[in-house]
Amino acid sequence: VIPDSRLDALLAEDAPHGDLTTETLGVGPLPGRISYTAREPLVLAGVEEASRLLARTGCTPRVLQASGASLQPGELLLEADGSAAALHLGWKVALHLLEQLSGIATRTRRLVDAASAGAGGRPVPVAATRKGFPGTRDLALLGVRAGGGIAHRLGLSDSLLLFAQHAVFFGPGGLPEAIARLKARQPEQKVVVEVASLAEALAAARAGADVIQVEKLPPAAFAEVAAACHALPTPPRIAATGGVDESNAGAYAAAGADLLVTSAPYAARPAEIRVEITRR
Amino acid sequence: VIPDSRLDALLAEDAPHGDLTTETLGVGPLPGRISYTAREPLVLAGVEEASRLLARTGCTPRVLQASGASLQPGELLLEADGSAAALHLGWKVALHLLEQLSGIATRTRRLVDAASAGAGGRPVPVAATRKGFPGTRDLALLGVRAGGGIAHRLGLSDSLLLFAQHAVFFGPGGLPEAIARLKARQPEQKVVVEVASLAEALAAARAGADVIQVEKLPPAAFAEVAAACHALPTPPRIAATGGVDESNAGAYAAAGADLLVTSAPYAARPAEIRVEITRR
Amino acid sequence: VIPDSRLDALLAEDAPHGDLTTETLGVGPLPGRISYTAREPLVLAGVEEASRLLARTGCTPRVLQASGASLQPGELLLEADGSAAALHLGWKVALHLLEQLSGIATRTRRLVDAASAGAGGRPVPVAATRKGFPGTRDLALLGVRAGGGIAHRLGLSDSLLLFAQHAVFFGPGGLPEAIARLKARQPEQKVVVEVASLAEALAAARAGADVIQVEKLPPAAFAEVAAACHALPTPPRIAATGGVDESNAGAYAAAGADLLVTSAPYAARPAEIRVEITRR
Amino acid sequence: VIPDSRLDALLAEDAPHGDLTTETLGVGPLPGRISYTAREPLVLAGVEEASRLLARTGCTPRVLQASGASLQPGELLLEADGSAAALHLGWKVALHLLEQLSGIATRTRRLVDAASAGAGGRPVPVAATRKGFPGTRDLALLGVRAGGGIAHRLGLSDSLLLFAQHAVFFGPGGLPEAIARLKARQPEQKVVVEVASLAEALAAARAGADVIQVEKLPPAAFAEVAAACHALPTPPRIAATGGVDESNAGAYAAAGADLLVTSAPYAARPAEIRVEITRR
Amino acid sequence: VIPDSRLDALLAEDAPHGDLTTETLGVGPLPGRISYTAREPLVLAGVEEASRLLARTGCTPRVLQASGASLQPGELLLEADGSAAALHLGWKVALHLLEQLSGIATRTRRLVDAASAGAGGRPVPVAATRKGFPGTRDLALLGVRAGGGIAHRLGLSDSLLLFAQHAVFFGPGGLPEAIARLKARQPEQKVVVEVASLAEALAAARAGADVIQVEKLPPAAFAEVAAACHALPTPPRIAATGGVDESNAGAYAAAGADLLVTSAPYAARPAEIRVEITRR
Amino acid sequence: VIPDSRLDALLAEDAPHGDLTTETLGVGPLPGRISYTAREPLVLAGVEEASRLLARTGCTPRVLQASGASLQPGELLLEADGSAAALHLGWKVALHLLEQLSGIATRTRRLVDAASAGAGGRPVPVAATRKGFPGTRDLALLGVRAGGGIAHRLGLSDSLLLFAQHAVFFGPGGLPEAIARLKARQPEQKVVVEVASLAEALAAARAGADVIQVEKLPPAAFAEVAAACHALPTPPRIAATGGVDESNAGAYAAAGADLLVTSAPYAARPAEIRVEITRR
């Protein structure tokens, strides 16, 4: 649940002291209607929050499609009645939120579909990294989830992920001990280890890593890693990461990935949504 | 000036309860160094804020290149010493901020350069719209300015911009009266009017608009509008908007634009910056 | 739109832990009514926010006059029903907000009327400076606008205003270049220049200033400046500032001011509003 | 202690996205100095907070006079070195804070001095009411205390003050029981009762009120109330309130007031402080 | 009144990005009901806030017992209908708030009852100190008041309490002057002095202390102090503090305490409340 | 990292408008020293934050023992020099934070030691639940970690924990499918299932639960569950929860628990820390 104060901050960012144009024109009190319609095929996200934004400016909104819905061009998704002043205050903030989040959702869905197609029915979740615009994780994850994706990790506090940048401190050869320590002390957490080669992957797997996150191997090389790891007595889950996008998601899934870890959703271009304001 | 509490919120978003991996490993107190280096040609932005982020986790940072600098691959831009715990807390938040803002700055610079080339020496400022990710305007504008761009408008409260969505309320034929009203009541503001055709542009100009923002005309058609408006006794400034990016910025400038209004910087992919963490 | 959290902060300032007197008396649950009535002729402001304040304490308010209305002594403007506890929690915060904002509105209206009378029909807007109590701009501007005034500038980020304190840095003789630079780089902004003499005014006007803000000249001297500037081929707007209040607003308007820039509204004494609490 | 985040909010109110003029001019990095000097006799307040404001924009400030000091025209009170950008960011916010708070302090001091003169050596504290601009109590009380005043009450949560608006609920004749109840349940609090006549004052005093706050009686009538109450076996403290200002503070003190309760400090005009910015 | 933003922060603490389990299961939209029932005898507190918490997650709550009510095991106190997603979001936050605050209320009530029994009808209020968990005073005091207690002091800003740690600065023998100074300058405040012996108590009382707070004397020794002080011509109120809990509250009351000052409520174990979630 | 603004809020809670006593006494500027010393054996926590609190009031603190240290009575842990005003502002807030967090740390350590002793060398982590005082999780977890414990889960967003209250919605018999769904969709998360009997435990384990959280079985019955589950081909981790405290932690560990999940740390009484303030 996005708090009211967060929504109010989005509105205040755009109009800290009201809408100068509409107020100066003197048309503020006139009644009107705003409608948001898909201009292209898209997966909708953020519509409940956009609706709340419009309500907070004084409009009466109606949500016509839920987040997660696949829309075709021309489908109406959100509508609101209100004064010209209220409509203009909420118009663009609601629009930009819808466009950004639906862009993320649409791209996530494409990744999910590609992974699913490549996997031949095996579930291969698509997990979004932390690499979005700082300060937007709460909103961006709404888009990811609407698209059918999940969060790779919410941040540093909730999960165990060993990078080479940790090994710098515990030293070469310290991985088995490091993994053992993490597993012993955090028995409710899986241990995820990022690796860059087959050798590293096998080392991590043998040391007990629950998830091996393979960074920037092409699908063919990735397939070798996955096969080798899956053949172990206690096989870890194998995640592909680093440059994973819709062009290669299917290939990674076909190559045996149990999971795709990707920043691609955050780089989505905003979905195109048409706004119409009419007088009532 | 980005307030400390804003920076703390970015850190708390990523690590509300510390770094589980580093703390569980027990390596937190070990001393290290982090360095950020350009991986591609880029225009740097956000480095002062990234430095402050690292300082707030307890590191001692050094800014080696200022925002606005053009960097070549391999150039070191920011470095910090600190404990493994502090370095890991700040690493990614600082990185993502640098990458997003430098991405915006780099794309803005490209637009600025293209406009400048097209304009043949005439200044043609590049103004970024409000169409970024809601809640990021303070940060995104740092990138825009580092790239040499300006803000089109900060939001609804600070400027006068007449859209067709206003005309819905004051009615057809009401534009001259609307412009006159805005000019009479807000003598310190320019009146900007968005138009979609030559006829609309001339009508707005004759009604006294200070700036005509021409929406989505191709450069050739735009040139006609610009020429016609500039030939008026009191010529307005003519801005090109709608789909302006680095591929056409020069053409619009050559076509007579006094200003480019664009959302392209917000759609920039993050700049690529390499991070190295070493032990000291 | 003033956010809910802002209103809650005003209530919390006055009653962080409830109303000790009313609660200790044990009368909190008894039903009552509060009414706010003008005690003197005033221009109302803040009544919508005062109503929301009362609603947030649990009352059911009714707004009986809108912000901007001119009230005569005895006119009822706001009424609310609620428990004694709720009424006492909101009573004074709502009252002080109404009194401060209506005081500002009333004084602004007087300035507006004086300017209008002096101008003989020409529109001479009254613009309020930034010189209010720090931290109150959002609320104070509600009063200014209810009184018919406008904001001179919202702050440093939204407009161009050259002071002598800028010339300190770009040096004597640098004004033409400074103005040219501002105009070239910010084509959507007017350039306002503050001057203290006829010579400075003419210099600024010739250098292309859009608005000349004449500081602390008496109306007669101001008239000379206005006449000289208005006689230029591209006449700038001329604003009077520095000590402008209702005693001289008409004179400045008559002297040719296109705009009055004044801090007088912020120095208004609070409007007098009578409160009655009754039992129901 | 005013928190950093409060000061940052004051700066952000005035410059949410930097200083457009100074940055566009390109003079931001040039070194300068700002100095604040009394332009009239005043009691200084807020100088420590103004100094912190300037430090937060990046200046190096020096506090030359402490809050509470009586300054003569021409006395330097605060100085800071910094870049043109930093100086311009802090200039007006620091100035307006100094002027508002010193205005309050100066007027409070005048009330304190008048009361002291009238009282012939007896201490007669001056207590400021809650009737300031909502949202400014933390800052305004800095001014009151710098002037030698005290807070009447911080708000509703910390003290017991019976108004006629409470009696509406407990009914006529209920005062003795109400006072008894308050005293029994809140033994660490004094019970203050507001009255409008001698009869009410005596009734409240006999019922055990610790402080009688006499509303809007002229000094002569007030003197009667004070004398009658002070003659009781357990005399309460007698406070004068309602229209108390420096013109009558001495008279009320001479009339036997133990305390003056006044909103006059909040209506103070801002103190006049001169700012000079120079190049270094 | 606890502000909405405070309640939202409590929810966000527990679920910054939604409820992963319920959402992943896909049962979020299913309708259900949650009910909160006392599992032991308790004094209820926080139920209005718990209800608001549930409303903010999207449930429709019904408050069945008010704060302050004494409940027997099995009594239903709060119920809400909503989606599985909404119920799970609010469940534990509402529960923990109810349990903590009702724990405080229940223990406070026990202290109040013990004091009352010991006092033989004389009112002996129970005042809670500031010694709770930092950051929880607003909520904890709801529990104290629901249990029939009062706040000893809200904090440092609202009351006068002389500790030995003040005497360190004004020096031995300075107490009479210190008390005189406080009384002269803050005539609306009682002066409370903490003492540790009969001698100190008499010294403080003779110096004019309004309330003597006797620290850590056993009831018998306390009785001596109380008797001696109450025998003075202007007897102060005598408070017992330091280790006061329900085992000795009656004894202190019987020993002549006018007031008990205690941190015991904050150390209360949470009240036991049973939650049932059912499908509808 | 606890943000500065969080610490400032703790100070403002206690002293929104300064320290009335110290300021009225006029001793504020006198120099002094404060020292915090253990009064009983304790595990220290929050000392870094307490030090920062004192620094923010203007003191110069020195941390003499780090969080996590075991202190004996009389050991000095924190000291600060500052003015009487600064020392009094920070004294109690820092103290209460130290006492609450060290109380949590001390009790956590006891649980950790008891578990370790019972486990005969096998690591049995102690995980603290979410059942603390709402709004204190950031601080309380500092105490848990200083005591050697871990967080069971940070909240609802970061982990998968199936309660009977979820089964209400997916229905009897739905557990295997529910677990399968969670595992398929969240491959980086362990699935934790709470059970109340051996049968439920085996059902959950066979359905693939990674961790079985056994609620409120006595150690003997728990041992049966643990043995049965550990004998499975893919044995889950078995956690004991519900009433786990230092009296039975060893027994549960001896009974085969892989993990203890407990709210006991939150119910710790505050550690006893002595404060001394002296003049310098």
Side-chain angles (χ1 to χ4, degrees):
Chain A
V1 179
I2 304 295
D4 285 351
S5 56
R6 175 73 159 126
L7 299 177
D8 284 346
L10 300 183
L11 290 166
E13 177 187 63
D14 200 49
H17 299 283
D19 176 351
L20 189 67
T21 308
T22 306
E23 288 171 21
T24 306
L25 286 170
V27 299
L30 299 177
R33 173 170 296 174
I34 195 167
S35 64
Y36 295 82
T37 308
R39 285 174 60 183
E40 59 176 351
L42 59 82
V43 176
L44 185 62
V47 67
E48 294 80 8
E49 287 71 27
S51 170
R52 289 169 61 200
L53 280 169
L54 290 166
R56 294 188 81 73
T57 68
C59 300
T60 305
R62 288 176 296 284
V63 172
L64 298 160
Q65 296 283 347
S67 284
S70 287
L71 301 193
Q72 290 308 309
E75 283 192 76
L76 182 66
L77 55 102
L78 175 64
E79 201 173 60
D81 292 344
S83 67
L87 295 172
H88 273 273
L89 273 173
W91 167 18
K92 292 273 189 176
V93 182
L95 175 64
H96 297 160
L97 190 72
L98 283 166
E99 291 188 330
Q100 293 284 351
L101 270 53
S102 299
I104 291 173
T106 302
R107 194 157 191 206
T108 302
R109 182 70 53 88
R110 250 181 250 140
L111 284 153
V112 166
D113 290 345
S116 178
R122 205 168 37 93
V124 179
V126 172
T129 68
R130 299 144 65 206
K131 195 185 167 79
F133 203 116
T136 66
R137 196 162 300 162
D138 55 345
L139 299 171
L141 286 179
L142 296 179
V144 168
R145 288 198 290 254
I150 63 175
H152 173 43
R153 58 196 314 211
L154 298 176
L156 295 176
S157 306
D158 57 290
S159 50
L160 296 173
L161 174 44
L162 270 177
F163 286 108
Q165 287 83 349
H166 290 105
V168 162
F169 293 103
F170 58 69
L175 188 70
E177 191 189 341
I179 292 176
R181 183 178 177 121
L182 295 178
K183 294 186 82 159
R185 300 194 177 202
Q186 301 285 353
E188 298 186 284
Q189 294 284 345
K190 289 198 174 175
V191 175
V192 186
V193 180
E194 188 171 270
V195 301
S197 69
L198 175 58
E200 284 179 25
L202 286 171
R206 285 176 183 137
D210 296 297
V211 182
I212 308 284
Q213 179 169 307
V214 185
E215 164 89 342
K216 287 189 185 161
L217 284 198
F222 179 86
E224 266 187 85
V225 174
C229 290
H230 285 149
L232 293 171
T234 315
R237 304 286 186 107
I238 307 297
T241 194
V244 174
D245 60 24
E246 52 268 58
S247 76
N248 57 27
Y252 281 113
D258 297 306
L259 175 72
L260 305 182
V261 175
T262 172
S263 305
Y266 303 123
R269 68 165 177 72
E272 295 199 1
I273 290 173
R274 190 165 56 83
V275 175
E276 196 174 17
I277 295 182
T278 52
R279 188 142 174 198
R280 293 177 59 228
Chain B
V1 180
I2 304 294
D4 286 349
S5 57
R6 175 71 159 127
L7 298 178
D8 285 345
L10 300 184
L11 290 168
E13 177 187 63
D14 199 49
H17 300 282
D19 175 349
L20 189 65
T21 309
T22 305
E23 289 173 18
T24 306
L25 285 172
V27 300
L30 299 177
R33 173 171 295 173
I34 194 166
S35 64
Y36 296 81
T37 308
R39 287 174 58 182
E40 58 176 351
L42 59 82
V43 176
L44 185 61
V47 67
E48 293 80 8
E49 288 71 27
S51 170
R52 289 170 62 201
L53 280 168
L54 290 167
R56 295 188 82 72
T57 67
C59 299
T60 305
R62 288 176 295 282
V63 172
L64 298 160
Q65 296 283 348
S67 284
S70 287
L71 302 192
Q72 291 309 310
E75 283 193 74
L76 182 66
L77 55 101
L78 175 64
E79 202 173 59
D81 292 342
S83 67
L87 295 173
H88 273 273
L89 274 174
W91 167 18
K92 293 273 190 176
V93 182
L95 175 65
H96 298 161
L97 191 71
L98 283 167
E99 291 188 329
Q100 293 284 350
L101 269 54
S102 299
I104 291 173
T106 303
R107 194 156 191 206
T108 303
R109 181 70 54 88
R110 250 180 250 140
L111 285 152
V112 166
D113 290 346
S116 179
R122 207 171 32 96
V124 179
V126 172
T129 68
R130 299 145 65 205
K131 197 185 166 78
F133 202 115
T136 66
R137 196 162 301 162
D138 54 346
L139 298 172
L141 286 178
L142 296 179
V144 168
R145 288 198 291 253
I150 64 173
H152 174 43
R153 58 195 315 212
L154 299 176
L156 295 176
S157 305
D158 57 291
S159 51
L160 297 173
L161 174 44
L162 270 176
F163 286 108
Q165 287 84 348
H166 290 105
V168 162
F169 293 102
F170 58 69
L175 188 68
E177 193 190 338
I179 292 175
R181 182 179 180 122
L182 295 178
K183 295 186 82 158
R185 300 194 176 200
Q186 301 285 352
E188 297 186 283
Q189 294 284 344
K190 289 198 174 175
V191 175
V192 186
V193 180
E194 187 172 272
V195 302
S197 69
L198 174 58
E200 283 179 23
L202 287 171
R206 285 176 182 136
D210 297 296
V211 181
I212 309 283
Q213 178 169 308
V214 185
E215 162 89 344
K216 289 189 185 162
L217 283 197
F222 179 86
E224 266 187 86
V225 174
C229 289
H230 285 147
L232 292 172
T234 317
R237 304 286 185 107
I238 307 298
T241 193
V244 174
D245 59 24
E246 53 268 59
S247 75
N248 57 27
Y252 280 113
D258 296 306
L259 175 73
L260 304 182
V261 175
T262 172
S263 305
Y266 303 124
R269 69 167 176 70
E272 296 199 1
I273 290 173
R274 189 164 58 82
V275 175
E276 196 176 15
I277 294 182
T278 51
R279 187 139 177 201
R280 294 176 62 228
Chain C
V1 178
I2 303 294
D4 286 349
S5 57
R6 175 74 159 124
L7 299 178
D8 285 344
L10 300 183
L11 290 167
E13 177 187 63
D14 200 47
H17 299 283
D19 176 351
L20 189 66
T21 309
T22 305
E23 288 172 20
T24 306
L25 285 171
V27 300
L30 299 177
R33 173 170 295 174
I34 193 166
S35 64
Y36 295 82
T37 307
R39 286 174 59 182
E40 59 176 354
L42 59 82
V43 176
L44 185 61
V47 68
E48 293 80 8
E49 287 71 28
S51 170
R52 288 170 61 201
L53 280 169
L54 290 167
R56 293 189 81 73
T57 68
C59 299
T60 305
R62 286 176 296 284
V63 172
L64 298 159
Q65 297 283 348
S67 284
S70 288
L71 301 193
Q72 290 308 309
E75 282 194 76
L76 182 65
L77 55 101
L78 175 64
E79 201 173 61
D81 293 343
S83 67
L87 295 172
H88 273 272
L89 273 174
W91 167 18
K92 292 273 189 176
V93 182
L95 175 65
H96 297 160
L97 190 71
L98 283 166
E99 291 187 330
Q100 293 283 351
L101 268 54
S102 299
I104 291 172
T106 303
R107 194 156 192 208
T108 303
R109 182 69 54 87
R110 249 181 252 140
L111 284 152
V112 166
D113 290 346
S116 179
R122 204 169 37 95
V124 180
V126 172
T129 68
R130 301 144 65 207
K131 198 185 164 78
F133 202 115
T136 65
R137 195 162 301 161
D138 56 344
L139 299 171
L141 285 179
L142 295 179
V144 167
R145 288 198 290 253
I150 63 174
H152 173 43
R153 58 194 316 212
L154 299 176
L156 295 177
S157 305
D158 58 290
S159 50
L160 297 173
L161 174 43
L162 271 176
F163 286 108
Q165 286 83 349
H166 290 104
V168 162
F169 294 102
F170 59 69
L175 188 69
E177 192 189 339
I179 292 176
R181 184 178 178 121
L182 295 178
K183 294 187 81 157
R185 300 193 178 201
Q186 302 285 351
E188 298 187 283
Q189 295 283 346
K190 289 197 174 176
V191 175
V192 186
V193 180
E194 187 171 271
V195 303
S197 69
L198 174 57
E200 285 179 22
L202 286 171
R206 285 176 183 136
D210 297 295
V211 182
I212 309 284
Q213 179 170 306
V214 185
E215 163 89 342
K216 289 190 184 161
L217 284 197
F222 178 87
E224 265 186 86
V225 173
C229 289
H230 285 149
L232 293 171
T234 316
R237 305 286 186 106
I238 307 297
T241 194
V244 174
D245 61 23
E246 53 267 58
S247 76
N248 56 26
Y252 280 112
D258 297 306
L259 174 72
L260 305 182
V261 175
T262 172
S263 305
Y266 303 124
R269 69 164 176 73
E272 296 199 0
I273 290 174
R274 189 166 56 83
V275 175
E276 194 175 18
I277 294 181
T278 52
R279 185 138 177 201
R280 293 177 61 228
Chain D
V1 179
I2 304 294
D4 286 349
S5 58
R6 176 73 159 124
L7 299 178
D8 284 345
L10 300 184
L11 290 167
E13 177 187 63
D14 199 48
H17 300 282
D19 175 350
L20 190 65
T21 309
T22 306
E23 290 172 19
T24 307
L25 286 171
V27 299
L30 299 177
R33 174 170 295 174
I34 194 166
S35 64
Y36 295 82
T37 308
R39 286 174 59 184
E40 58 177 351
L42 59 82
V43 175
L44 185 62
V47 68
E48 293 81 7
E49 287 71 28
S51 170
R52 289 171 60 200
L53 281 168
L54 290 167
R56 294 188 82 72
T57 68
C59 299
T60 305
R62 289 177 295 283
V63 172
L64 298 160
Q65 296 282 349
S67 284
S70 288
L71 302 192
Q72 291 309 308
E75 284 194 74
L76 182 66
L77 54 102
L78 175 65
E79 201 173 60
D81 292 343
S83 68
L87 295 173
H88 273 272
L89 274 173
W91 166 18
K92 292 274 189 175
V93 182
L95 174 65
H96 297 160
L97 191 71
L98 283 167
E99 291 188 330
Q100 292 284 351
L101 269 54
S102 299
I104 291 173
T106 303
R107 195 159 190 205
T108 303
R109 182 69 54 87
R110 252 181 248 139
L111 283 152
V112 166
D113 290 346
S116 178
R122 205 169 35 94
V124 180
V126 172
T129 68
R130 300 146 62 206
K131 196 187 166 78
F133 202 115
T136 66
R137 195 162 302 161
D138 54 345
L139 299 172
L141 286 178
L142 296 179
V144 168
R145 288 198 290 252
I150 62 174
H152 174 43
R153 57 195 316 212
L154 298 176
L156 294 176
S157 305
D158 58 290
S159 51
L160 297 172
L161 173 45
L162 270 176
F163 286 108
Q165 287 84 347
H166 290 106
V168 162
F169 293 103
F170 59 68
L175 188 69
E177 192 189 339
I179 291 175
R181 182 178 179 122
L182 295 178
K183 296 186 79 157
R185 299 193 177 202
Q186 301 284 353
E188 297 187 283
Q189 294 284 346
K190 289 197 175 177
V191 175
V192 186
V193 180
E194 186 171 271
V195 302
S197 69
L198 175 58
E200 284 179 23
L202 287 171
R206 283 174 183 138
D210 297 295
V211 181
I212 309 283
Q213 179 169 306
V214 184
E215 163 88 343
K216 287 188 185 163
L217 283 197
F222 178 86
E224 267 187 84
V225 174
C229 289
H230 285 149
L232 291 172
T234 316
R237 304 287 185 105
I238 307 297
T241 193
V244 174
D245 60 23
E246 54 267 58
S247 75
N248 56 27
Y252 280 113
D258 297 306
L259 175 72
L260 304 183
V261 175
T262 171
S263 305
Y266 302 123
R269 69 163 176 72
E272 296 199 1
I273 290 173
R274 190 165 56 83
V275 175
E276 195 175 16
I277 295 182
T278 52
R279 186 138 177 203
R280 294 177 62 228
Chain E
V1 178
I2 304 295
D4 286 350
S5 57
R6 174 74 159 125
L7 298 178
D8 285 345
L10 300 183
L11 290 167
E13 177 187 63
D14 200 48
H17 299 283
D19 176 351
L20 188 67
T21 309
T22 305
E23 288 172 19
T24 306
L25 286 170
V27 300
L30 299 177
R33 173 170 295 173
I34 194 166
S35 64
Y36 295 83
T37 308
R39 286 173 60 182
E40 59 176 350
L42 59 83
V43 175
L44 185 61
V47 67
E48 293 80 7
E49 287 72 26
S51 169
R52 288 170 62 200
L53 279 169
L54 290 167
R56 293 188 82 72
T57 67
C59 300
T60 306
R62 290 175 294 284
V63 172
L64 298 160
Q65 297 282 349
S67 284
S70 288
L71 302 193
Q72 291 308 309
E75 282 193 76
L76 182 66
L77 55 101
L78 175 65
E79 200 172 62
D81 292 344
S83 68
L87 295 172
H88 273 273
L89 274 174
W91 168 18
K92 292 273 189 175
V93 182
L95 175 64
H96 297 162
L97 191 72
L98 283 167
E99 290 188 330
Q100 293 283 351
L101 270 54
S102 299
I104 292 173
T106 302
R107 193 154 193 210
T108 303
R109 182 70 54 85
R110 251 181 249 140
L111 284 152
V112 166
D113 290 346
S116 179
R122 204 169 36 95
V124 179
V126 171
T129 68
R130 300 145 64 206
K131 196 185 166 79
F133 202 115
T136 66
R137 196 162 300 162
D138 54 346
L139 299 172
L141 286 178
L142 296 179
V144 167
R145 288 198 291 253
I150 63 175
H152 173 44
R153 58 194 315 213
L154 298 176
L156 294 176
S157 304
D158 58 290
S159 51
L160 297 173
L161 173 45
L162 270 177
F163 286 108
Q165 286 84 348
H166 290 104
V168 162
F169 293 101
F170 58 68
L175 188 69
E177 192 189 339
I179 292 176
R181 182 178 178 121
L182 296 178
K183 295 187 81 158
R185 300 193 176 200
Q186 301 285 352
E188 298 187 283
Q189 294 284 345
K190 290 198 173 175
V191 175
V192 186
V193 181
E194 188 172 270
V195 302
S197 68
L198 176 57
E200 284 179 22
L202 286 172
R206 283 175 184 138
D210 296 295
V211 182
I212 309 283
Q213 180 170 305
V214 185
E215 164 88 342
K216 289 191 184 160
L217 284 197
F222 178 87
E224 266 187 86
V225 174
C229 289
H230 285 149
L232 293 171
T234 316
R237 303 289 186 105
I238 307 297
T241 193
V244 174
D245 60 22
E246 53 267 57
S247 76
N248 57 26
Y252 281 112
D258 296 306
L259 175 72
L260 305 182
V261 175
T262 173
S263 305
Y266 302 123
R269 68 165 176 72
E272 296 199 0
I273 290 174
R274 189 164 56 82
V275 175
E276 195 173 18
I277 294 183
T278 52
R279 186 138 176 202
R280 292 177 63 228
Chain F
V1 180
I2 303 295
D4 286 349
S5 57
R6 174 74 159 125
L7 298 177
D8 285 345
L10 300 184
L11 290 167
E13 178 187 63
D14 199 48
H17 299 283
D19 175 351
L20 189 66
T21 308
T22 305
E23 289 171 20
T24 307
L25 286 171
V27 298
L30 299 178
R33 173 170 296 175
I34 194 166
S35 64
Y36 295 82
T37 308
R39 287 175 58 184
E40 58 176 352
L42 58 82
V43 176
L44 185 60
V47 67
E48 293 80 8
E49 288 72 27
S51 170
R52 288 170 61 201
L53 281 168
L54 290 167
R56 294 188 82 73
T57 68
C59 300
T60 305
R62 287 176 296 284
V63 172
L64 298 160
Q65 297 283 348
S67 284
S70 287
L71 302 193
Q72 292 308 309
E75 283 193 75
L76 182 66
L77 55 102
L78 176 64
E79 201 173 59
D81 292 343
S83 68
L87 295 173
H88 272 273
L89 274 174
W91 166 18
K92 293 273 190 176
V93 181
L95 175 64
H96 297 160
L97 191 71
L98 283 167
E99 291 188 329
Q100 293 284 350
L101 269 54
S102 299
I104 290 173
T106 303
R107 194 157 192 207
T108 302
R109 181 70 54 88
R110 252 181 249 140
L111 284 152
V112 166
D113 290 346
S116 178
R122 204 169 36 94
V124 180
V126 172
T129 68
R130 300 145 62 206
K131 197 186 166 79
F133 202 115
T136 65
R137 195 162 302 162
D138 54 346
L139 299 172
L141 286 178
L142 296 180
V144 168
R145 287 199 291 254
I150 63 175
H152 174 43
R153 58 197 313 213
L154 299 176
L156 294 175
S157 305
D158 57 291
S159 50
L160 297 173
L161 173 45
L162 272 176
F163 286 108
Q165 285 84 348
H166 290 106
V168 162
F169 293 102
F170 60 67
L175 188 69
E177 192 189 339
I179 292 175
R181 182 178 179 123
L182 296 178
K183 295 186 81 159
R185 299 192 177 201
Q186 300 285 353
E188 297 187 284
Q189 294 283 346
K190 289 198 174 176
V191 175
V192 186
V193 181
E194 187 171 273
V195 302
S197 69
L198 175 58
E200 284 179 24
L202 287 172
R206 284 173 184 141
D210 296 296
V211 182
I212 309 283
Q213 180 170 307
V214 186
E215 163 89 342
K216 287 189 185 163
L217 283 198
F222 178 86
E224 266 187 86
V225 174
C229 289
H230 284 147
L232 292 172
T234 316
R237 303 288 185 105
I238 307 298
T241 193
V244 174
D245 60 23
E246 53 267 59
S247 76
N248 57 26
Y252 279 113
D258 297 306
L259 176 72
L260 305 182
V261 176
T262 172
S263 305
Y266 303 123
R269 68 165 177 71
E272 296 199 0
I273 289 173
R274 189 164 56 83
V275 175
E276 195 175 15
I277 294 181
T278 52
R279 187 139 175 201
R280 293 178 60 228

